[in-house]
């Protein structure tokens, strides 16, 4: 009997080991699948966006391109203040709930708040447009007014994407990421050949497409849950009070100042310089896709982890470095042989903007972990440093050195910010231990 019992025990141990291996393998495969899905979706979207930014200069003057970039910076800058941390509060509540129906109700409530905030933001931007001529180009005020119904797209987009990541609906978020630039690219070409493409129609159609692409799935998929739920609202208010406002404060003093460089540049330098700078950042943006794809796939999994696995960090760093080299090589050829001499100053700006997006891509992994764990105070500390650094280095480097100064300023601030986040995540792991 004893040998038989031993055989049964050994069989059970082997099966347990096999089950653990299969679960770990399936989990890793799932993370890889979701990361690749996000990567390709964002890659497709950014590829079309790159085509837009490369072809549009052939349709509009460099000053008009600079004006569009300036308006986009204004809208993005102010919209950050109107999210109020709603996206992170809703996402944290979703990943900490087990009941699927409760998750959907929280998602619906969060999206409803986002739509209301978008409406309030349109009213705010109408007021802002009257002050724009005092600190920028007067034409920007006109462009803002004619796009008022759509300027709040950033708010709904940020909340919608975060809800998708928290629910694990990576496919849903991926489709949205790729769709906008594909639609706008087709519309831009069509308008050009019809003869109605100008700076006004370019901005109206761009913002209108952005808003519709995000608003349609929100209404169609979540219409049943776009309600005010009393119980979920009480939970939402509690989470917002405990962590949401602190994280929001962190955002409004850090992320908006990442766009202040374009505003300073537009005030002290010609719009052509703004065009060089914004286009360099657009070309460099795909570098950030890798880190963003991995971090969003891991976001809901961080809720039961106390550290970021070293293998994810190593993978992200190596792939990001390879992407930086490829990005600059392709960009050099495109600028020299496609865009022409008018855009040659970008050759010297691009290496720095590529480096800044590489740092930002790695940082997203740590940011996602800190958001999932509700590390509000640590996020606030990083934000305070970022705010002071952005203001200080942007004015110190942009005024004397122009666009290249703005790019160097970002590298310095983002580099220090990454170091702080690495420190805080390591400290959290030491305090909490292994899960």
């Amino acid at each position: 009997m004893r040998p038989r019992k031993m055989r049964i025990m050994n069989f059970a141990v082997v099966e347990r080991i096999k089950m653990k291996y299969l679960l770990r393998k399936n989990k890793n495969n799932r993370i890889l699948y979701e990361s690749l899905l996000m990567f390709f979706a964002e890659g497709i979207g950014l590829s079309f966006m790159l085509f837009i930014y490369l072809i549009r200069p052939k349709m509009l003057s460099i000053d008009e391109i600079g004006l569009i970039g300036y308006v986009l910076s204004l809208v993005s800058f102010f919209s950050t203040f109107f999210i109020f941390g709603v996206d992170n509060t809703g996402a944290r509540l979703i990943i900490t709930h087990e009941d699927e129906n409760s998750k959907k109700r929280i998602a619906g409530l969060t999206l409803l708040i986002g739509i209301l905030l978008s409406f309030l933001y349109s009213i705010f931007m109408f007021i802002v447009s009257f002050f724009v001529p005092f600190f920028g180009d007067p034409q920007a005020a006109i462009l803002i007014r004619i796009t008022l119904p759509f300027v709040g797209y950033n708010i709904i987009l940020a909340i919608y994407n975060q809800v998708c990541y928290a629910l694990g609906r990576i496919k849903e978020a991926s489709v949205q990421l790729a769709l906008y630039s594909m639609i706008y690219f087709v519309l831009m070409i069509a308008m050009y050949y019809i003869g109605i493409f100008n700076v006004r129609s370019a901005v109206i159609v761009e913002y209108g497409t952005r808003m519709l692409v995000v608003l349609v799935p929100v209404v169609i998929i979540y219409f049943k849950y776009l309600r005010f739920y009393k119980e979920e609202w009480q939970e939402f208010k509690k989470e917002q009070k405990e962590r949401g406002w602190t994280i929001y404060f962190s955002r409004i003093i850090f992320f908006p100042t990442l766009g202040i460089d374009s505003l300073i540049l537009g005030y002290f330098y010609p719009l052509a310089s703004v065009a060089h700078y914004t286009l360099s950042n657009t070309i460099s943006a795909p570098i950030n896709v890798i880190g963003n794809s991995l971090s969003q796939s891991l976001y809901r999994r961080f809720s039961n982890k106390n550290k970021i696995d070293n293998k994810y960090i190593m993978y992200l760093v190596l792939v990001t470095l390879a992407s930086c080299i490829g990005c600059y090589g392709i960009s050099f050829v495109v600028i020299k042989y496609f865009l022409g001499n008018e855009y040659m100053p970008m050759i010297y700006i691009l290496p720095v903007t590529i480096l800044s997006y590489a740092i930002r891509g790695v940082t997203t992994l740590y940011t996602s972990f800190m958001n999932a764990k509700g590390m509000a105070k640590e996020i606030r500390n990083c934000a305070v440093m970022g705010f002071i650094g952005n203001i200080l280095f942007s004015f110190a480097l942009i005024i004397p050195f122009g666009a290249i100064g703005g790019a160097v300023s970002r590298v310095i601030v983002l580099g220090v910010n990454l170091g702080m986040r690495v420190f805080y995540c390591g400290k959290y792991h030491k305090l909490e231990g292994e899960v």
Side-chain angles (χ1 to χ4, degrees):
M1 291 294 290
R2 187 167 301 205
R4 187 167 179 268
K5 285 184 178 180
M6 290 294 293
R7 284 197 301 271
I8 293 171
M9 289 175 65
N10 289 337
F11 177 77
V13 170
V14 171
E15 287 299 309
R16 194 180 300 117
I17 293 171
K18 284 171 65 177
M19 183 63 68
K20 286 183 177 179
Y21 170 76
L22 289 172
L23 287 171
R24 190 180 296 111
K25 185 178 179 182
N26 288 337
K27 181 182 177 183
N28 290 336
N29 287 343
R30 185 68 183 174
I31 293 170
L32 179 62
Y33 167 75
E34 291 180 354
S35 299
L36 287 175
L37 190 64
M38 287 287 295
F39 175 76
F40 285 119
E42 287 199 66
I44 291 169
L46 285 171
S47 296
F48 275 93
M49 182 63 70
L50 186 58
F51 292 149
I52 291 167
Y53 275 83
L54 292 175
I55 294 172
R56 201 157 59 179
K58 300 293 182 180
M59 303 175 178
L60 301 171
S61 70
I62 190 169
D63 285 340
E64 288 175 325
I65 295 296
L67 180 62
I68 292 174
Y70 183 74
V71 171
L72 188 61
S73 296
L74 274 175
V75 172
S76 299
F77 176 80
F78 287 114
S79 67
T80 311
F81 293 90
F82 272 77
I83 297 178
F84 297 118
V86 167
D87 56 335
N88 191 70
T89 296
R92 265 191 54 80
L93 285 175
I94 290 170
I95 65 174
T96 53
H97 276 68
E98 296 295 333
D99 179 58
E100 288 299 318
N101 197 43
S102 180
K103 287 175 180 278
K104 291 175 182 177
R105 288 199 300 269
I106 294 168
L109 173 64
T110 306
L111 290 167
L112 179 61
I113 295 171
I115 294 170
L116 295 175
L117 290 176
S118 174
F119 176 73
L120 291 175
Y121 181 62
S122 295
I123 298 173
F124 172 79
M125 285 306 295
F126 175 71
I127 298 170
V128 167
S129 66
F130 291 99
F131 295 92
V132 169
F134 296 105
F135 59 85
D137 196 299
Q139 296 180 71
I142 300 171
L143 293 182
I144 290 172
R145 287 183 202 129
I146 62 178
T147 55
L148 282 174
F150 316 119
V151 291
Y153 75 88
N154 259 340
I155 297 169
I156 302 175
L157 177 63
I159 294 172
Y160 172 68
N161 281 339
Q162 203 63 33
V163 164
C164 288
Y165 302 143
L167 290 170
R169 296 184 173 180
I170 305 299
K171 285 184 181 179
E172 190 180 314
S174 300
V175 169
Q176 189 277 328
L177 288 169
L179 205 56
Y180 149 69
S181 53
M182 294 170 65
I183 294 173
Y184 180 70
F185 178 78
V186 173
L187 291 174
M188 181 184 73
I189 299 297
M191 287 191 299
Y192 179 73
Y193 282 104
I194 294 172
I196 59 172
F197 190 74
N198 52 52
V199 68
R200 291 193 181 190
S201 63
V203 172
I204 292 172
V205 174
E206 179 175 350
Y207 282 34
T209 305
R210 286 179 187 267
M211 177 60 91
L212 288 174
V213 164
V214 66
L215 197 57
V216 168
V218 166
V219 173
I220 292 176
I221 299 172
Y222 297 96
F223 180 77
K224 179 182 176 182
Y225 297 98
L226 290 174
R227 302 284 188 277
F228 178 81
Y229 301 99
K230 187 176 181 179
E231 185 180 340
E232 280 73 16
W233 172 241
Q234 295 302 321
E235 289 186 68
F236 193 96
K237 286 196 299 182
K238 183 181 178 183
E239 176 67 24
Q240 183 73 4
K241 183 179 179 180
E242 291 178 355
R243 298 181 182 87
W245 287 118
T246 305
I247 293 174
Y248 165 69
F249 172 75
S250 306
R251 287 182 177 179
I252 64 172
I253 65 172
F254 180 35
F255 288 110
T257 56
L258 283 177
I260 202 171
D261 45 11
S262 297
L263 301 181
I264 297 171
L265 193 62
Y267 185 82
F268 288 99
Y269 285 84
L271 287 174
S273 185
V274 179
H276 295 150
Y277 186 65
T278 54
L279 187 53
S280 295
N281 279 298
T282 302
I283 292 174
S284 305
I287 302 298
N288 188 42
V289 171
I290 303 159
N292 191 54
S293 303
L294 181 62
S295 63
Q296 299 303 352
S297 177
L298 291 169
Y299 175 75
R300 68 186 186 280
R301 295 177 174 89
F302 283 146
S303 61
N304 56 10
K305 289 280 187 180
N306 282 343
K307 73 168 187 174
I308 305 170
D309 289 344
N310 289 331
K311 63 182 178 181
Y312 296 130
I313 299 170
M314 187 62 67
Y315 157 79
L316 179 56
V317 170
L318 291 176
V319 176
T320 299
L321 286 174
S323 301
C324 289
I325 297 169
C327 182
Y328 183 74
I330 295 170
S331 302
F332 182 88
V333 173
V334 170
I335 293 167
K336 188 171 183 179
Y337 298 103
F338 184 78
L339 292 179
N341 293 330
E342 201 172 25
Y343 289 87
M344 282 304 288
M346 289 172 54
I347 295 293
Y348 308 102
I349 304 171
L350 266 171
V352 192
T353 56
I354 287 173
L355 178 59
S356 71
Y357 274 93
I359 297 171
R360 194 170 181 176
V362 176
T363 303
T364 56
L365 191 60
Y366 292 91
T367 303
S368 183
F369 178 83
M370 293 172 76
N371 283 335
K373 307 309 289 187
M375 299 169 65
K377 291 181 180 179
E378 291 82 357
I379 293 172
R380 181 191 59 197
N381 294 341
C382 292
V384 171
M385 187 290 304
F387 171 77
I388 296 171
N390 272 325
I391 298 296
L392 179 64
F393 287 108
S394 290
F395 278 101
L397 296 176
I398 291 175
I399 295 174
F401 301 111
I404 190 72
V408 171
S409 172
R410 278 199 181 191
V411 168
I412 295 171
V413 174
L414 290 171
V416 174
N417 201 268
L418 172 58
M420 290 180 68
R421 291 178 190 274
V422 171
F423 170 77
Y424 283 130
C425 290
K427 185 179 178 181
Y428 182 89
H429 176 233
K430 286 181 181 178
L431 291 173
E432 299 296 328
E434 298 288 348
V435 176

